């Protein structure tokens, strides 16, 4: 039944992948005919928005080759875990779920295919462990060759053995492959891949490779196409968007890119993450100040408030520089909402260092903060630092920090009570179907009475009551 010209497989991308999409589609059709129904898939995503966006690309391919989505993982014919390895507990969750899946495959569904990809797969010891103790896995690939998904599926159908394809790094960016958006009205857009910062605790530069920026013309074209397809809000994605464009043949700054994106007609809202404080330019602050579309929200991870710890973390800014930057941003964009990431218990962190972090939290007054317990990642410089902090000390600091963050966040959030603001309605409320949930420019959620006809629309809402980190309100008449 194979009608493709096997003597002439394209060598250039994305053409080669379109060849394999057609080929995989034939295999899927044959299998469907054999079992008398459509084949189904589930993609489970761990980790950050980069992974979420990558998963949309996986789903795009799966749907193109004839699989249909199945919400229940235990029923699906093909289960894919797109993994994260930023902290140890992320890995543990994957192994736990994988163990259960292996059990189901063994006792109930021998034909089930299991695929693993994402950041965890870039660690050689993980792949070794999978090869040894998780033989039931069918397909393993990494972060650099996700665009080859169709080709790998075709290979798996042909070989009947575990297929493993991991690349150490890449300088390649393959454009124009299918992707299936989770939301019709908003989308993540990669503007760059990888990270060159090597913060001493962080594994991301090792698993995502060196920094590569997409060509601005490709980004603009993608967003124009998204807008033509109903998207009103984009989230520009990169580990450090502030260093966007530095290594392009024709260098361009992130601020310049934003100005170009702002001009796209029909696009209503622009978000981006993540900003590294060391690279946040005055030019960017100016662009944010004058923009009609950039949302009033900036995620600006501090990690620690102690300059001594920041130096050991290789963050390349001090507490004072961070606070000065925050003051500058707040002066330029007074209604900006600031959020952050904080790590507690980095090696050598003393009570005094921790109190510096608490001090920053009190001074900046974040809308919200993601707080993390330091996790030792093998291969990073911090893992071999002496003075790892005992768990009970960390726990105590973590609890104090969380309490402070939450009480400040409730106060900061409540200042908008009684105002009318624009919200992009994202969904019907899970708990009460008479309500819809919208997102304000500052990233806070609001629940208002309404129905699914409002989803995807930007409407004025009156914010009545603040409940800590979200609002209830009504549609503005
Ligand atoms: N590129 C982003 C962060 C990506 S990882 C940035 O620089 O801000 C997301 C967050 O995970 C980080 O901001 C950090 O707070 C946390 N993180 C990274 N490595 C960690 C580790 N080893 N232990 C605990 N938290 C970590
Ligand atoms: Fe990790 Fe630092 Fe890169 Fe963020 S900037 S991904 S924390 S190394
Ligand atoms: Fe995790 Fe990879 Fe993102 S390690 S946080 S999924 S870049």
């Amino acid at each position: 039944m194979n009608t493709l010209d096997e003597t002439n497989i394209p060598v250039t991308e994305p053409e080669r992948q379109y060849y394999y999409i057609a080929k995989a589609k034939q295999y899927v059709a044959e299998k469907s005919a054999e079992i008398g129904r459509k084949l189904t898939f589930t993609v489970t995503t761990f980790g950050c928005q980069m992974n979420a966006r990558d998963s949309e690309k996986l789903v795009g391919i799966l749907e193109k080759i004839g699989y249909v989505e199945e919400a229940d993982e235990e029923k699906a014919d093909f289960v894919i875990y797109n993994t994260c390895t930023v902290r140890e507990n992320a890995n543990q969750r994957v192994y736990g779920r994988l163990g259960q899946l292996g059990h189901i495959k063994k006792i109930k569904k021998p034909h089930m295919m299991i695929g693993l990809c994402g950041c965890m797969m870039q660690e050689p010891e993980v792949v070794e462990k999978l090869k040894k103790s998780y033989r039931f896995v069918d397909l393993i690939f990494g972060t650099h060759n996700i665009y080859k998904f169709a080709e790998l599926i075709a290979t798996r159908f042909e070989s009947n053995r575990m297929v493993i394809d991991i690349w150490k790094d890449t300088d390649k960016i393959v454009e124009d492959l299918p992707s299936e958006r989770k939301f019709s009205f908003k989308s993540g857009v990669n503007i760059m891949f990888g990270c060159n910062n090597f913060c001493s605790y962080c594994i991301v530069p090792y698993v995502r490779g060196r920094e590569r920026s997409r060509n601005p013309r490709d980004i603009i074209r993608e967003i124009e196409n998204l807008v033509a397809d109903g998207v009103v809000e984009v989230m520009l994605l990169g580990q450090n968007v502030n260093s966007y464009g530095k290594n392009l043949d024709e260098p361009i700054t992130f601020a310049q890119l934003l100005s170009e994106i702002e001009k796209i007609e029909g696009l209503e809202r622009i978000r981006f993450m993540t900003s590294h404080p060391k690279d946040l330019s005055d030019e960017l602050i100016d662009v944010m100040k004058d923009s009609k579309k950039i949302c009033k929200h900036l995620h600006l991870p501090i990690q620690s408030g102690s300059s001594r710890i920041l130096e050991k973390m290789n963050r390349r800014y001090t507490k004072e520089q961070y606070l000065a930057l925050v003051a500058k941003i707040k002066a330029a964009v007074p209604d900006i909402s600031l959020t952050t990431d904080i790590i507690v218990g980095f090696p050598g962190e003393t009570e005094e260092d921790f109190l510096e972090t608490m001090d920053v939290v009190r001074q900046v007054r974040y809308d919200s903060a993601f707080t993390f317990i330091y996790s030792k990642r093998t291969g990073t410089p911090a893992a071999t630092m002496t003075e790892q902090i005992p768990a009970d000390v960390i726990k105590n600091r973590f609890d104090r920090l969380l309490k402070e963050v939450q009480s400040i966040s409730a106060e900061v959030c409540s200042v908008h009570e009684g105002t009318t603001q624009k919200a992009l309605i994202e969904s019907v409320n899970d708990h009460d179907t008479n309500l819809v949930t919208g997102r304000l420019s500052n990233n806070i959620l609001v629940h208002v009475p309404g129905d699914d006809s409002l989803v995807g629309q930007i409407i004025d809402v009156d914010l009545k009551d603040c409940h800590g980190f979200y609002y209830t309100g009504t549609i503005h008449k």
Side-chain angles (χ1 to χ4, degrees):
M1 146 164 188
N2 204 336
T3 51
L4 289 167
D5 177 3
E6 303 225 356
T7 55
N8 208 1
I9 301 173
V11 285
T12 54
E13 300 291 5
E15 295 75 14
R16 184 178 171 88
Q17 293 315 309
Y18 280 98
Y19 168 87
Y20 279 108
I21 286 171
K23 187 151 188 168
K25 196 171 174 174
Q26 288 180 352
Y27 290 129
V28 172
E30 281 166 25
K31 192 88 193 156
S32 291
E34 198 182 302
I35 60 173
R37 61 169 174 82
K38 290 241 179 215
L39 294 184
T40 60
F41 75 90
T42 304
V43 175
T44 303
T45 312
F46 300 84
C48 67
Q49 307 226 15
M50 297 277 173
N51 261 17
R53 182 70 183 133
D54 282 348
S55 287
E56 293 184 342
K57 297 173 185 170
L58 300 176
V59 172
I61 303 269
L62 287 163
E63 295 193 342
K64 266 258 158 15
I65 65 177
Y67 278 94
V68 291
E69 191 151 13
E70 162 61 61
D72 184 353
E73 195 173 280
E74 299 192 4
K75 289 196 190 133
D77 300 299
F78 193 178
V79 178
I80 294 111
Y81 287 166
N82 190 2
T83 62
C84 169
T85 187
V86 78
R87 287 168 289 273
E88 181 61 28
N89 55 7
N91 294 41
Q92 292 314 330
R93 275 171 58 206
V94 170
Y95 287 126
R97 302 254 313 239
L98 197 55
Q100 287 170 2
L101 211 56
H103 184 68
I104 294 165
K105 179 166 175 167
K106 197 165 155 196
I107 57 166
K108 282 205 290 220
K109 293 181 60 187
H111 77 277
M112 179 195 250
M113 290 225 293
I114 300 175
L116 296 174
C117 63
C119 297
M120 221 175 128
M121 301 306 123
Q122 293 296 137
E123 294 184 276
E125 52 288 0
V126 168
V127 176
E128 278 315 304
K129 180 167 170 163
L130 292 169
K131 281 205 293 208
K132 214 167 122 218
S133 313
Y134 297 81
R135 293 294 315 161
F136 55 83
V137 174
D138 298 274
L139 183 55
I140 299 177
F141 56 104
T143 56
H144 303 302
N145 55 351
I146 187 161
Y147 74 87
K148 276 184 69 185
F149 190 37
E151 182 171 346
L152 295 169
I153 294 175
T155 310
R156 175 65 188 82
F157 272 114
E158 283 158 12
S159 78
N160 245 334
R161 294 184 45 198
M162 193 186 229
V163 173
I164 304 180
D165 190 9
I166 314 275
W167 301 358
K168 266 196 145 50
D169 201 350
T170 184
D171 53 9
K172 218 171 171 159
I173 298 177
V174 178
E175 300 282 348
D176 298 324
L177 280 164
S179 107
E180 186 61 38
R181 293 198 309 278
K182 191 164 168 206
F183 299 96
S184 58
F185 51 86
K186 67 169 188 175
S187 180
V189 174
N190 299 110
I191 62 166
M192 57 200 299
F193 302 93
C195 181
N196 286 353
N197 286 313
F198 290 95
C199 302
S200 64
Y201 50 82
C202 184
I203 199 153
V204 171
Y206 305 89
V207 296
R208 286 271 171 181
R210 294 296 60 72
E211 211 168 87
R212 286 147 295 162
S213 294
R214 280 177 76 193
N215 189 313
R217 281 178 293 275
D218 291 330
I219 297 171
I220 302 282
R221 189 165 48 103
E222 178 176 346
I223 300 176
E224 284 171 347
N225 289 338
L226 288 168
V227 169
D229 197 33
V231 164
V232 290
E233 175 179 307
V234 290
M235 165 76 89
L236 310 177
L237 298 171
Q239 292 300 350
N240 176 13
V241 291
N242 297 328
S243 62
Y244 170 79
K246 288 191 176 145
N247 301 323
L248 287 169
D249 292 341
E250 297 165 50
I252 150 172
T253 63
F254 179 53
Q256 287 168 333
L257 176 73
L258 279 173
S259 303
E260 289 305 310
I261 295 174
E262 174 105 14
K263 292 180 198 151
I264 298 176
E265 221 166 295
L267 180 68
E268 305 278 349
R269 281 181 164 185
I270 306 168
R271 300 184 185 276
F272 53 83
M273 78 187 317
T274 301
S275 282
H276 194 305
K278 79 174 163 64
D279 300 314
L280 200 147
S281 65
D282 290 350
E283 188 195 9
L284 175 64
I285 298 176
D286 279 344
V287 168
M288 289 183 77
K289 186 170 95 187
D290 298 332
S291 168
K292 301 267 176 305
K293 297 184 178 175
I294 299 175
C295 289
K296 306 286 182 199
H297 172 220
L298 184 66
H299 186 62
L300 195 62
I302 176 137
Q303 313 301 0
S304 167
S306 154
S307 297
R308 198 181 71 85
I309 295 293
L310 285 168
E311 193 177 349
K312 288 179 62 168
M313 287 177 159
N314 192 29
R315 289 290 288 180
R316 287 174 276 175
Y317 53 83
T318 61
K319 176 189 183 186
E320 291 68 33
Q321 285 167 333
Y322 183 91
L323 288 174
L325 180 62
V326 165
K328 205 155 50 172
I329 295 163
K330 282 187 172 177
V333 192
D335 46 351
I336 192 116
S337 136
L338 289 172
T339 58
T340 200
D341 293 348
I342 301 170
I343 298 177
V344 180
F346 184 83
E349 184 190 74
T350 62
E351 177 64 17
E352 288 67 42
D353 293 319
F354 173 69
L355 292 176
E356 298 274 6
T357 301
M358 291 285 263
D359 183 47
V360 171
V361 166
R362 289 186 190 116
Q363 288 199 47
V364 178
R365 298 179 61 76
Y366 295 105
D367 276 62
S368 69
F370 295 100
T371 50
F372 303 108
I373 286 178
Y374 167 71
S375 174
K376 193 170 163 176
R377 307 314 288 132
T378 308
T380 64
T384 52
M385 287 180 189
T386 50
E387 294 188 275
Q388 302 280 332
I389 309 295
D392 57 333
V393 176
I394 298 185
K395 178 79 173 62
N396 172 281
R397 288 179 193 162
F398 183 83
D399 291 347
R400 281 151 65 204
L401 177 66
L402 191 63
K403 211 165 139 219
E404 192 68 28
V405 159
Q406 284 175 341
S407 82
I408 291 175
S409 143
E411 283 171 31
V412 175
C413 179
S414 69
V415 303
H416 307 288
E417 234 171 42
T419 63
T420 301
Q421 299 204 17
K422 292 207 177 310
L424 169 56
I425 305 301
E426 297 194 339
S427 60
V428 174
N429 193 292
D430 286 342
H431 305 291
D432 180 349
T433 51
N434 295 315
L435 296 177
V436 289
T437 301
R439 194 177 294 273
L440 305 176
S441 171
N442 63 14
N443 212 34
I444 297 176
L445 295 179
V446 55
H447 305 297
V448 295
D451 59 43
D452 62 359
S453 67
L454 295 171
V455 171
Q457 291 187 39
I458 295 178
I459 53 174
D460 285 324
V461 294
D462 297 327
L463 304 178
K464 291 257 165 15
D465 297 301
C466 178
H467 306 263
F469 53 91
Y470 68 94
Y471 277 95
T472 47
T474 50
I475 295 173
H476 185 70
K477 297 266 183 307

